[in-house]
Each structure stands twice: as structure tokens, then as C-alpha cells.
Amino acid sequence: MKLRHAILGLLSHGPQSGYDLSRAFAGSVVNFWHADQSQVYRTLDRLEADGAISTRVIAQTGRPDRRVHSLTPEGRAELDAWLASPLEPRLGKDPLLARIFFAARLGHEKVDALLEEAAGKGRDVGAEDVEAVSWGWPGTTWNDDRKPHGGQD
């Protein structure tokens, strides 16, 4: 997913200003995508240059003009094409997976404790997640339970 797709999705609900979009990110989209206000505004500029959105300027007294963005037919088509496309691989910054990547040096018991803590907080860490971040890491082997083992015991 790209930020432009999240913005197109939000604009599919109706015209919004950059400020409105930033608030929408903070209030709902933040659960699966983060963008700060400057990223939103830069992406809006690109979407407008690409013809995916149109912008109407509303003059305001005593304030900067308000810029309200709307989807164009091209923007709707891009959003629809993205929604119908195959899922992208899950990419992202995940502190838990980063810890798992380096955790083998702590030993088997501490790695188990880390995984149990994650499970206690509602994180489902499957063997494929552990294997994905540990694959090829020097000194890491797998025991019969598909848990990493290696490093310093």
C-alpha cells in the first residue's frame, strides 16, 4: 500500500482539505497506516499533478485559503484498480519482529518469554514470522517446536 492509496480511499468518502485528511489519519487510518501532515501535503501535490485529484481553493478572511481536494475519474479508477489488485506483501516496521531477529543471542528461555509476552498482548506470532526474520541469521537453528535456538545459552 502506498500513502496515495490511503488518501484516495479517504477522498472517496467526499471532498476534504489537507487538514481534514490529516485528522482522518490520526483518528482512523492510523490503526494501519501512519503519515504525518507534511507527507499528506506532499502526496496531495503529487496526486494533483498526476490528475488523480482536483483542488478547489476557497478564500477565507483572516486565514490562508482553504484547499479542498476531490477525486477525479482518474483517481477513482486508480483507487478501484488498487483495491482489485493482488495483495502486496506485508511490509512495515515492526519492533517485535526486529527483536525476534536479534533475540537468539539471549537464549531459548528468553526468546520463549518474549514470544509469550507478545501473545499476552494479543500479538499472534506464527512460526512463519519467526522464520522470516531469522532465516539465514548466523548461529540460528530450529528446534522441533520451530522456535529459534542459537546464540548464547
Side-chain angles (χ1 to χ4, degrees):
M1 176 175 164
K2 295 180 181 175
L3 176 57
R4 69 186 288 127
H5 298 132
I7 291 174
L8 291 173
L10 289 170
L11 289 175
S12 73
H13 294 282
Q16 298 180 58
S17 68
Y19 176 76
D20 296 332
L21 289 165
S22 292
R23 286 184 46 191
F25 267 95
S28 63
V29 180
V30 72
N31 294 311
F32 53 87
W33 195 269
H34 170 77
D36 61 40
Q37 195 169 15
S38 65
Q39 291 173 305
V40 169
Y41 283 103
R42 281 193 310 270
T43 304
L44 285 169
D45 289 342
R46 274 185 249 131
L47 287 166
E48 186 174 18
D50 293 345
I53 64 171
S54 61
T55 302
R56 183 171 52 111
V57 178
I58 301 171
Q60 300 185 115
T61 306
R63 294 181 177 185
D65 293 343
R66 181 175 162 94
R67 296 170 46 90
V68 178
H69 311 281
S70 302
L71 282 182
T72 63
E74 293 84 0
R76 275 190 208 290
E78 181 178 341
L79 176 60
D80 291 346
W82 172 70
L83 290 171
S85 68
L87 290 174
E88 302 95 338
R90 185 174 169 188
L91 301 173
K93 298 172 186 169
D94 188 333
L96 174 61
L97 294 181
R99 286 184 184 206
I100 293 169
F101 183 81
F102 296 109
R105 67 182 311 280
L106 298 176
H108 183 70
E109 289 178 14
K110 289 184 180 177
V111 171
D112 282 348
L114 176 64
L115 295 174
E116 287 172 20
E117 179 184 355
K121 293 183 177 182
R123 287 290 307 268
D124 182 26
V125 181
E128 65 279 356
D129 292 321
V130 176
E131 189 170 0
V133 296
S134 301
W135 182 254
W137 187 252
T140 300
T141 57
W142 296 93
N143 66 18
D144 290 339
D145 296 328
R146 299 299 295 158
K147 293 180 180 174
H149 178 68
Q152 302 169 352
D153 280 322

